[in-house]
Amino acid sequence: MSTIDLNLVRVFVTLYDARSVTLAAERLHVTQPSVSYALSRLRALFDDRLFVRSRDGMEPTFTAMQLYPGLRDSLAQIDSVLESSKEFEPRRSQRRYRLALTDLGEMSLLPRLLAHLHAQAPDIELEVVPLEIDKVEDWLATGKVNAVICSRPISSAGVERRVLVSDERYVCLLNREHSFIGDSLTLEQFIQARHAVVAASTGHGLAEDVLRERGLQRKVSLKVSHFSSLPRILQESDLLAILPERIASAFVREAPLKLLELPFDVPLFEVALHWQSHTTRSPAQRWFCDSIVEAIASA
C-alpha cells in the first residue's frame, strides 16, 4: 500500500476515538453510510476488520490498535501545518472549541472567560467537557479537547503549560453551627468527624495524598462527583469537606458555612492551562489559549 486517502485516515482516527459509527459521523459532519463506506475501504486497504461490533461499541482489532498511534499523530501534524497557513479573524469565526474543566472551574473561571472570548469572537462556540484527570493526556493527544484547565500538572511530552492561578491552598469547609467544632480544627477533631469527599477525577487529590503519606485515615461518609453540590450538603449535615480556598470563600458568602484551616500542612498548588504544543502553529488555537490566559489574568 503506497498511498492512503487523508479522509480515510480521519475517519479511522475519529471512529477509534468514538467507538461508534453514529458518533464518528456526527463529529465528522457526514452521514453514517459515509463512515461505513470509508470503513469498508479501510478494511480492504489493511486487509483486516479493524473494528468489531460489541456491546460496548466498535472495538478495535489488534491491527487497529497498532495503526492508531501513528495515524493519529500524523493526522494531528498535518492538521497543524494546514491550520498554520490559514488566517484567523476572531470576529468572523464560527469555530467550535472544547475545553476540559471541573465544575469548580465552571463556577469560578468560566463566566469571565466566556465574556472575554465573546467580546473578541461573538460567534464562536465553547463546549465545556467535564474534567477526568486520568483521560486528559489522551484527550489532548487525540484532539478531543483544545485545552485543559486543572490543578494537577500534565507532564506528557509535547504538552505546554501556563499558570492561571498561583499560590492556591486547601481549607476545610463545614456547617457554621457544627455540633462539636468551634473556630479552629484540631487533627483529632478532623479524624473523628465525618467527611464528604469529591471524586479524584477532578484532579483535586493533593490533600488526600498528604493524608495517605502520613498514614491518617478519616471517616468518609459521602462521595460526590462535583464540588457544586457541597454547599447544600454541608449546611444540612455535620460533614466536613476539603476544597480550594477561593471557592470555599465564595461558598461561605452564599451559605451558612465556615472556613477553617486544615490541621496539617498541604503544599500550595497552581491552576494551569494545558494544550498540545504543536497545535499552537494554528492561529485559531493560539488565539484561544492566549485569550484564556488574558481573561484570567485580568480578573
Side-chain angles (χ1 to χ4, degrees), residues 12-45:
F12 173 86
V13 171
T14 305
L15 185 55
Y16 192 101
D17 292 336
R19 306 297 170 95
S20 162
V21 171
T22 302
L23 289 178
E26 290 177 359
R27 293 181 185 180
L28 293 167
H29 304 290
V30 299
T31 64
Q32 292 183 42
S34 296
V35 174
S36 297
Y37 175 69
L39 178 56
S40 67
R41 291 182 60 191
L42 285 162
R43 284 168 169 167
L45 280 168

Side-chain angles (χ1 to χ4, degrees), residues 40-232:
S40 67
R41 291 182 60 191
L42 285 162
R43 284 168 169 167
L45 280 168
F46 293 107
D47 192 23
D48 187 88
R49 296 181 68 185
L50 297 178
F51 297 94
V52 180
R53 293 188 183 278
S54 73
R55 288 187 302 175
D56 298 322
M58 300 292 284
E59 292 296 324
T61 64
F62 179 71
T63 297
M65 288 188 281
Q66 288 185 308
L67 289 170
Y68 175 72
L71 293 180
R72 176 200 65 195
D73 294 345
S74 297
L75 182 62
Q77 292 289 342
I78 291 171
D79 284 344
S80 179
V81 171
L82 293 175
E83 282 288 335
S84 67
S85 65
K86 296 180 181 178
E87 292 185 4
F88 178 69
E89 298 181 40
R91 290 208 166 272
R92 299 178 60 183
S93 177
Q94 296 182 339
R95 182 179 289 266
R96 182 184 192 184
Y97 292 96
R98 291 186 179 91
L99 175 66
L101 197 59
T102 64
D103 65 319
L104 278 187
E106 290 183 26
M107 290 184 288
S108 61
L109 304 179
L110 189 57
R112 60 178 178 268
L113 173 58
L114 191 61
H116 187 84
L117 291 174
H118 280 170
Q120 302 177 58
D123 295 324
I124 66 162
E125 178 184 348
L126 179 63
E127 178 184 352
V128 175
V129 179
L131 180 72
E132 295 182 54
I133 196 66
D134 294 334
K135 297 181 180 180
V136 292
E137 293 183 14
D138 184 61
W139 288 356
L140 287 171
T142 60
K144 178 177 179 179
V145 297
N146 295 92
V148 174
I149 296 178
C150 61
S151 60
R152 282 286 176 109
I154 300 174
S155 56
S156 299
V159 174
E160 292 195 33
R161 179 176 184 268
R162 288 282 297 275
V163 174
L164 301 177
V165 178
S166 58
D167 295 334
E168 178 62 294
R169 67 193 189 111
Y170 287 106
V171 295
C172 188
L173 193 65
L174 63 157
N175 190 316
R176 190 183 297 164
E177 305 300 328
H178 195 287
S179 57
F180 70 92
I181 297 177
D183 295 330
S184 62
L185 180 64
T186 67
L187 183 58
E188 182 180 4
Q189 289 173 327
F190 180 87
I191 296 300
Q192 290 179 349
R194 300 190 306 146
H195 293 257
V197 176
V198 180
S201 60
T202 62
H204 285 278
L206 185 56
E208 307 297 327
D209 294 341
V210 172
L211 287 170
R212 194 177 303 111
E213 290 170 1
R214 294 186 57 175
L216 298 174
Q217 290 188 334
R218 53 181 173 154
K219 301 174 184 177
V220 176
S221 297
L222 174 68
K223 290 187 178 181
V224 295
S225 300
H226 306 289
F227 284 94
S228 55
S229 62
L230 288 176
R232 184 67 178 270

Side-chain angles (χ1 to χ4, degrees), residues 172-174 176 231 245-260:
C172 188
L173 193 65
L174 63 157
R176 190 183 297 164
E245 182 182 26
R246 282 179 173 82
I247 197 66
S249 298
F251 286 162
V252 167
R253 291 192 293 270
E254 298 172 0
L257 303 170
K258 60 183 175 183
L259 182 158
L260 298 178

